Amino acid sequence: PLRNIVEIDQLAMSLDAMRLLQRKIIIEQMAMEGIRPDTPRLKSGALPGYAARKKVTTSGDSKKGFQTPKLQIPDVKEILGKEKLASLELAKNYQAQIKADTLKWQQQLAELPDESKLAQYKARLNKLQSSSGLAGLLGGATELVAIRQEIQTDLDRLQTAQKDFAEVSTSYKKRLAELQNAPRQDIKRLVDKYSLSGKGLANLSSLLFGAKTGSILEKALFWYEKAQPLLERSKEKKDGGEIVKPTRGKGVWVRFEEREPLPDFLIRNIAAAVQITAGSFDGTITNVTPDQDVLGVPLTFTFAGDSLQGLSSIRFDGVLDHVNPAQPSDTVNLEISGFSLENVVLSDDKNLPATINSGLVDLSVQAVLQQRDINAQVDARLKSANFSSTPPQQSDAISRAITRALSETTNLTAKAKITGTIDDYDIQLSSDLDSILKQAVANTIKNQTARFEQDLKDGVMDRAKGPLAAATGSFSDFGTISKELTDRLQAGGKLL
């Protein structure tokens, strides 16, 4: 309430008086001099009895800022206490399945020819050997053929079972090999997730530039929303059509077809001079109306300035197209060259504070808004920069390495891609800083994470060794079925 949104020294315009008789406000030319945004007020502009709107908090990372990466070695016991190990789950499933299959095959073995059945065949053969005489010889040959057929039938059953069992056993053997490798996969996953590797430093662009980018974007979208009444008239709609609620007894306004349709309000051309701390620059705005669908042309604007104080040049232009209210499309471009930065706080995180003491930045922004979808690309080039970072005295080696790298950085480029909707957008940031810091702290990271990785490896293997040993034992028990089938086949083969 103690700041003006905008202050204008002088405003002059030419009005089409004849159109006033048609209840139309048509301004052909308007000139605005001394436009100054965000000026102080001598008296508060707060409205009596009006409660200030509370800022709605959002859940997106783009709006919350970014957390400082963990620079201390994580506690292995804490990690293993909350993380589920895939190797333990695989071992549990493996044991349950092989136990069920072992029981099934043991039941199948009970139904197959066994030692007692083969002993019966042997007794019958011994009986034939003891027979004598011509009649015994002839009768024995017939019996011998019958015994051979019975034995062969049983051997066929055993061979089929042995083949089926071999396939199942091979599958379990392959799964056991995968299971024995699973702890290493768990270790790799947890190391990638918790250790501050070179890959983990990729989020430092977001850490240092994310909060500032998010703040600027919030302000830009706020003013875009404020400008909506100038672009499109608020209309109540139902089932795709506009609702007209006439006041009883007063009739309704009917818009008849016009030879040259004009909206009720229109500013055809505005010549504006903007005054900022760096100096002044001029621009033009055309076709300002909330009824672009009637006029048939979009709003356009162009502003440019050169040789300003602390700023080489600026150009700001765009097209706000709401000719089709159902499919609005707005395009905005911004080019800034040689903008001087002084004492810009990038991060106020206590573990990694960072400030640009001085520097020059070239900035390019291209943004497209279609309906409420946003797609924007930001490119920034920082030159002759001087960074400062003063982490706590008890900071770790990683923080100190990052601080040194920042102090030695003078030039870098950064990119931001903004996608999503106005209400829920995502900012993806990248810069040279990622590779610079990654290289600077590579050795420090290597030394600090080596011990963590070894401790994590020991912890995972200690938890997994019991289930792995049980799974290996279950497979060994399963293998005894194969030996039993082989023994029965050999014994039957000897009988033949």
Side-chain angles (χ1 to χ4, degrees), residues 25 47 176 189 269 287 290 311 481:
I25 299 176
L47 299 178
L176 182 62
R189 176 178 63 85
N269 188 72
N287 303 317
L311 179 62
I481 297 175

Side-chain angles (χ1 to χ4, degrees), residues 364-479:
S364 174
V365 180
Q366 292 86 37
V368 177
L369 292 93
Q370 293 183 323
Q371 295 181 331
R372 297 190 69 80
D373 293 332
I374 182 172
N375 192 326
Q377 178 75 37
V378 181
D379 295 291
R381 295 168 297 281
L382 184 61
K383 301 174 290 186
S384 304
N386 176 258
F387 286 91
S388 66
S389 179
T390 54
Q393 292 183 351
Q394 302 301 322
S395 61
D396 55 27
I398 301 292
S399 296
R400 293 193 295 273
I402 292 174
T403 299
R404 287 195 300 272
L406 281 175
S407 64
E408 296 170 359
T409 301
T410 56
N411 300 306
L412 62 87
T413 61
K415 295 180 180 292
K417 187 172 181 61
I418 304 159
T419 56
T421 66
I422 292 178
D423 305 307
D424 185 16
Y425 56 82
D426 178 64
I427 303 176
Q428 295 179 348
L429 287 158
S430 62
S431 76
D432 297 343
L433 203 58
D434 297 332
S435 58
I436 292 172
L437 297 182
K438 181 178 177 180
Q439 181 64 32
V441 302
N443 292 331
T444 304
I445 291 172
K446 183 178 179 180
N447 295 334
Q448 289 216 356
T449 57
R451 179 165 57 87
F452 164 70
E453 292 180 11
Q454 184 60 48
D455 291 345
L456 188 61
K457 179 180 179 181
D458 293 342
V460 171
M461 296 305 297
D462 185 61
R463 293 187 63 186
K465 67 181 180 182
L468 285 178
T472 304
S474 297
F475 182 74
S476 298
D477 295 339
F478 195 60

Side-chain angles (χ1 to χ4, degrees), residues 6-10 32-37 272-275:
V6 65
E7 187 174 341
I8 304 174
D9 286 346
Q10 184 177 8
M32 292 190 292
E33 300 289 339
I35 301 174
R36 297 192 302 277
V274 181
Q275 184 73 39

Side-chain angles (χ1 to χ4, degrees), residues 12-14 26-32 266-272 283-288 300-302:
M13 59 185 170
S14 60
I26 308 299
I27 300 171
E28 297 292 340
Q29 297 290 335
M30 177 181 285
M32 292 190 292
L266 170 64
I267 306 177
R268 289 192 183 276
N269 188 72
I270 300 175
T284 58
I285 308 172
T286 63
N287 303 317
V288 179
T300 62
F301 61 88
T302 301

Side-chain angles (χ1 to χ4, degrees), residues 354-370:
T355 301
I356 300 179
N357 299 322
S358 61
L360 297 174
V361 66
D362 296 337
L363 186 68
S364 174
V365 180
Q366 292 86 37
V368 177
L369 292 93
Q370 293 183 323

Side-chain angles (χ1 to χ4, degrees), residues 64-252:
K64 290 193 300 184
F66 297 86
Q67 300 299 317
T68 305
K70 294 181 179 179
L71 304 180
Q72 300 294 337
I73 296 179
D75 184 80
V76 170
K77 291 183 179 179
E78 182 181 342
I79 291 173
L80 296 180
K82 65 182 179 181
E83 288 285 349
K84 289 185 177 180
L85 299 182
S87 53
L88 299 185
E89 194 67 24
L90 287 173
K92 180 180 177 181
N93 293 336
Y94 183 89
Q95 284 185 265
Q97 292 174 9
I98 200 170
K99 182 178 180 181
D101 276 347
T102 299
L103 181 61
K104 184 182 75 172
W105 276 98
Q106 286 173 344
Q107 292 172 348
Q108 191 169 342
L109 273 178
E111 299 171 0
L112 290 170
D114 57 5
E115 186 177 351
S116 63
K117 183 71 176 291
L118 296 174
Q120 293 174 13
Y121 289 134
K122 188 172 183 179
R124 291 168 63 185
L125 290 172
N126 289 336
K127 184 179 179 181
L128 287 176
Q129 284 181 334
S130 64
S131 63
S132 59
L134 181 60
L137 182 62
L138 293 176
T142 303
E143 178 67 13
L144 188 64
V145 171
I147 294 174
R148 182 181 180 86
Q149 289 176 344
E150 291 178 30
I151 294 175
Q152 187 63 57
T153 299
D154 285 343
L155 287 178
D156 290 343
R157 291 176 60 197
L158 288 169
Q159 286 174 344
T160 300
Q162 187 183 50
K163 180 181 178 182
D164 293 342
F165 181 83
E167 293 179 358
V168 176
S169 181
T170 300
S171 174
Y172 275 115
K173 185 176 181 180
K174 181 179 179 182
R175 288 177 58 186
L176 182 62
E178 294 173 352
L179 178 58
Q180 290 170 339
N181 187 55
R184 286 188 285 274
Q185 297 299 322
D186 279 328
I187 293 168
K188 183 179 183 302
R189 176 178 63 85
L190 294 177
V191 165
D192 290 343
K193 182 175 181 179
Y194 288 99
S195 68
L196 187 63
S197 62
K199 184 190 300 184
L201 287 173
N203 67 351
L204 283 173
S205 289
S206 297
L207 170 68
L208 295 177
F209 303 121
K212 184 66 66 177
T213 303
S215 175
I216 294 172
L217 182 58
E218 283 281 3
K219 289 181 180 179
L221 294 177
F222 171 80
W223 289 115
Y224 176 78
E225 296 276 77
K226 283 286 188 183
Q228 288 305 300
L230 294 175
L231 302 175
E232 193 172 322
R233 193 182 300 277
S234 178
K235 299 170 184 176
E236 189 177 358
K237 296 185 178 182
K238 183 178 181 181
D239 298 330
E242 294 177 16
I243 298 177
V244 179
K245 296 182 178 180
T247 304
R248 183 174 294 278
K250 293 190 176 182
V252 297

